[in-house]
Amino acid sequence: MKLAAFLKALRLQNRKLDENLITLAYQFADQVHLGQIRYDGQAYLTHPLEVALILSSWGVDQDTIVAGILHDTLDHGQADLQVLNSKFNPQIVKLVEGVTRVGQVQLRGSRSQYFVENLRKMFISMAKDIRVVLIRLADRLHNMRTLDAVPISKQRRIALETINIYAPLAERLGMGLLKGELEDLSFPYAYPKTYLRVSRLTKRVMTKVDRVYEELLKSISSILKEHHLEAKVEIRKKRLFSLFHKLKRPEIKGNLSRIHDLVAARIITTNLTDCYAVLGLVHQHWQPVPGSTISDFIQMPKPNGYQSLHTKVIGSSNFTFEIQIRDEKMHHQAEYGAASHALYSQAKQSGATDEQLEKGISSQSKQKMKWIEELAKWQSQVADDATFLDHLKLDALSKRIYVFSPKGDVYDLPENATPVDFAFAVHSELPFFLSQVLVNGKLVPLSHLLKSRDVVEVIKSKQKRALNRDWLKFTKTAKARLHLKALMN
Ligand code: MN
């Protein structure tokens, strides 16, 4: 990509950027990567430029976009750190250093050791500055988009890493659009046979979806117009990888007809109040699927910040579909999450200092990002690579639930967490006084699996007691497991 084309692409995204700075970064990267070629035969420079364009489309700040252009100059391009320092501001250089991989030569370890060391480094850098991980994710997205050109021997490993680490990370950061794309790009390489089976299984239904598409769009638009409600309408098919997961659920048992959200209509209103008005209209026109519930993620956002109203309805010729209703702000949050431009401008409006903005998050959203700091903390306590990966999958990158204390404090825990995990999350001293636990007012065993919205009350013993190592059999959080394992040494 020529410089003029690159600048034009950025302008098309409506970004007001310092074009002198962008040009400087372009020329620097161009020189450093001179003669380097990607697997697809393209000049290496195309990769960092595409990464910068992805970052820009997420609405991140200028320093992050520039760091995206420069992200491979230190390791892949072997540029000199001092030269980089002399040309770019310290924030940009810090970001580039943050995304630079640890030297493979220094490690002399196996491929998997190298992978884990780089993950650790990423999580440490990410706790200092969330933007480091945004660059890593944009890098991964472009590499996945061009995976076809990579040698077959490497494809599967890269696809599995993406499904196991990067997609869940995107999910936890609330970046729904990215998570979906990463999974669908990986699916055929990670599980080729399953991919073929699921695409064959769903082909007929998906064709039907194409037929109802126009009809659905038209009827929703006319309902909105009739009631003078201003809103955007989008129709989307369920993504194949997420469909594959849903098919495995016990209540679905591989039966496509039990899945009611193969098609979802998204109605994006200009304000919050209209969301509920639209929900009312929707139910006047279509009957809700019997036995299904309306989910109000506006009043009760998901742990990653997702907000929306969901309802499943029956359309013409018995075709069921989901309707998701949210306002523009919620929509942006749902698609871009932690990278959301709204986050930055919100932080600025709420009077965040430049220092806070540098970290890319206001104090309020910092609370939401507390898990990142905790992850950086516990990973330093785990020396063993296999245990580190276990903790990562079981806790930090797993699906999340949220539960309440009787006072109404919210705790964000991994799926299938137990009251013991809850106690550790509240305070590391609390488990020493753990005698009985009430969930929604009922006495439960300590191995009880918590569900979202449970109210969990710990009844404390008067005396401090020893922790029970049997709790290791059912605890999920890294915090609890590390404390309990320490007992055994
Ligand atoms: Mn790269």
Side-chain angles (χ1 to χ4, degrees):
M1 200 185 316
K2 292 264 165 50
L3 174 63
F6 180 57
L7 289 173
K8 193 176 162 198
L10 285 171
R11 277 182 221 130
L12 277 176
Q13 291 178 339
N14 282 321
R15 300 308 303 266
K16 287 194 193 75
L17 300 166
D18 174 356
E19 294 197 351
N20 289 329
L21 179 63
I22 301 286
T23 303
L24 185 70
Y26 178 100
Q27 285 164 345
F28 184 80
D30 188 21
Q31 209 174 30
V32 166
H33 295 301
L34 200 69
Q36 295 176 340
I37 303 287
R38 298 262 296 172
Y39 282 120
D40 57 8
Q42 297 247 38
Y44 195 86
L45 183 69
T46 52
H47 166 65
L49 297 181
E50 291 295 342
V51 169
L53 285 174
I54 292 169
L55 284 164
S56 161
S57 76
W58 293 347
V60 301
D61 67 325
Q62 172 168 289
D63 282 354
T64 313
I65 295 170
V66 175
I69 304 173
L70 300 170
H71 82 272
D72 275 332
T73 56
L74 283 181
D75 57 1
H76 203 277
Q78 296 182 319
D80 191 65
L81 182 60
Q82 276 189 331
V83 180
L84 201 65
N85 251 317
S86 68
K87 286 180 186 278
F88 300 97
N89 76 44
Q91 279 86 355
I92 294 174
V93 179
K94 255 194 257 169
L95 287 171
V96 178
E97 277 187 291
V99 295
T100 300
R101 292 182 174 83
V102 291
Q104 201 162 12
V105 197
Q106 292 149 26
L107 269 169
R108 277 179 304 165
S110 64
R111 159 72 221 175
S112 72
Q113 215 184 335
Y114 177 64
F115 172 66
V116 172
E117 280 312 310
N118 277 313
L119 272 188
R120 284 177 188 268
K121 189 188 172 224
M122 179 173 82
F123 289 125
I124 295 168
S125 318
M126 167 173 146
K128 290 187 199 134
D129 192 330
I130 182 78
R131 294 176 300 178
V132 167
V133 82
L134 300 181
I135 300 172
R136 266 270 156 269
L137 287 168
D139 176 53
R140 179 55 60 139
L141 178 57
H142 183 247
N143 285 336
M144 290 310 299
R145 283 179 182 167
T146 50
L147 192 66
D148 206 35
V150 170
I152 293 172
S153 60
K154 290 184 173 188
Q155 284 175 340
R156 181 148 199 267
R157 172 183 52 78
I158 296 172
L160 283 170
E161 271 173 24
T162 305
I163 283 183
N164 291 326
I165 306 283
Y166 292 94
L169 190 57
E171 158 94 11
R172 246 204 120 175
L173 292 168
M175 303 171 75
L177 203 60
L178 174 65
K179 179 216 171 216
E181 190 175 353
L182 286 177
E183 283 178 345
D184 273 6
L185 286 168
S186 311
F187 194 11
Y189 300 100
Y191 311 108
K193 281 185 195 147
T194 314
Y195 170 77
L196 276 180
R197 189 166 51 83
V198 176
S199 27
R200 273 198 210 113
L201 179 73
T202 54
K203 204 174 163 205
R204 220 164 46 114
V205 182
M206 288 307 188
T207 322
K208 192 171 169 192
V209 169
D210 289 333
R211 277 207 307 274
V212 295
Y213 186 99
E214 283 300 318
E215 185 193 321
L216 203 55
L217 197 65
K218 238 191 254 163
S219 46
I220 294 176
S221 305
S222 75
I223 293 166
L224 293 169
K225 204 170 163 197
E226 193 184 318
H227 293 85
H228 308 288
L229 280 161
E230 203 187 312
K232 277 187 239 123
V233 185
E234 288 175 2
I235 314 283
R236 65 137 193 89
K237 289 187 216 175
K238 193 169 187 66
R239 286 185 179 267
L240 215 54
F241 191 73
S242 107
L243 180 59
F244 156 59
H245 267 280
K246 195 147 194 179
L247 281 168
K248 288 195 300 190
R249 284 202 205 163
E251 74 272 22
I252 307 286
K253 289 200 192 92
N255 188 342
L256 259 187
S257 68
R258 293 196 183 137
I259 297 183
H260 300 303
D261 62 349
L262 281 172
V263 182
R266 272 186 198 145
I267 306 176
I268 300 149
T269 65
T270 53
N271 62 69
L272 189 147
T273 321
D274 282 358
C275 293
Y276 292 94
V278 169
L279 181 67
L281 289 175
V282 160
H283 282 169
Q284 277 173 37
H285 281 83
W286 292 287
Q287 192 201 333
V289 173
S292 72
T293 48
I294 302 165
S295 307
D296 187 344
F297 297 116
I298 293 180
Q299 290 310 311
M300 192 63 77
K302 288 188 183 179
N304 66 3
Y306 178 87
Q307 286 187 295
S308 208
L309 299 172
H310 288 193
T311 180
K312 294 180 180 94
V313 297
I314 307 172
S316 60
S317 57
N318 268 344
F319 193 82
T320 59
F321 60 99
E322 182 173 80
I323 297 189
Q324 306 171 350
I325 308 160
R326 52 205 194 216
D327 70 19
E328 279 159 9
K329 226 171 81 192
M330 297 169 200
H331 181 58
H332 204 270
Q333 168 70 29
E335 306 259 271
Y336 301 106
S340 173
H341 185 56
L343 208 66
Y344 295 95
S345 45
Q346 235 173 39
K348 206 155 208 169
Q349 278 164 16
S350 68
T353 63
D354 278 354
E355 214 164 80
Q356 282 169 316
L357 278 176
E358 186 195 320
K359 293 196 173 179
I361 34 179
S362 67
S363 54
Q364 184 203 355
S365 37
K366 204 167 171 177
Q367 188 59 32
K368 281 187 207 153
M369 299 284 169
K370 220 177 124 203
W371 66 273
I372 297 172
E373 268 165 45
E374 274 175 12
L375 198 166
K377 209 164 77 191
W378 68 248
Q379 79 82 26
S380 68
Q381 299 165 9
V382 184
D384 172 46
D385 284 353
T387 315
F388 168 70
L389 281 180
D390 275 354
H391 282 334
L392 204 58
K393 283 178 198 160
L394 208 60
D395 184 354
L397 298 183
S398 78
K399 283 218 162 64
R400 312 301 293 179
I401 57 165
Y402 48 92
V403 299
F404 300 97
S405 75
K407 274 192 252 160
D409 294 329
V410 186
Y411 292 88
D412 164 10
L413 294 170
E415 203 170 38
N416 296 327
T418 63
V420 176
D421 292 300
F422 171 80
F424 274 102
V426 173
H427 197 281
S428 26
E429 278 292 299
L430 185 57
F432 291 97
F433 296 90
L434 190 56
S435 96
Q436 286 183 313
V437 176
L438 301 175
V439 170
N440 306 326
K442 281 196 194 111
L443 211 57
V444 298
L446 293 181
S447 59
H448 179 82
L449 300 185
L450 298 173
K451 289 191 305 294
S452 258
R453 299 172 198 213
D454 280 345
V455 178
V456 190
E457 184 178 356
V458 171
I459 300 170
K460 286 167 77 176
S461 61
K462 290 210 178 73
Q463 298 284 317
K464 187 169 177 171
R465 308 165 171 196
L467 298 178
N468 186 343
R469 67 177 60 176
D470 282 350
W471 292 349
L472 269 176
K473 287 179 191 147
F474 51 75
T475 41
K476 302 293 179 309
T477 52
K479 195 173 177 188
R481 299 188 66 78
L482 286 172
H483 268 96
L484 294 168
K485 272 191 188 154
L487 289 181
M488 306 212 282
N489 298 328

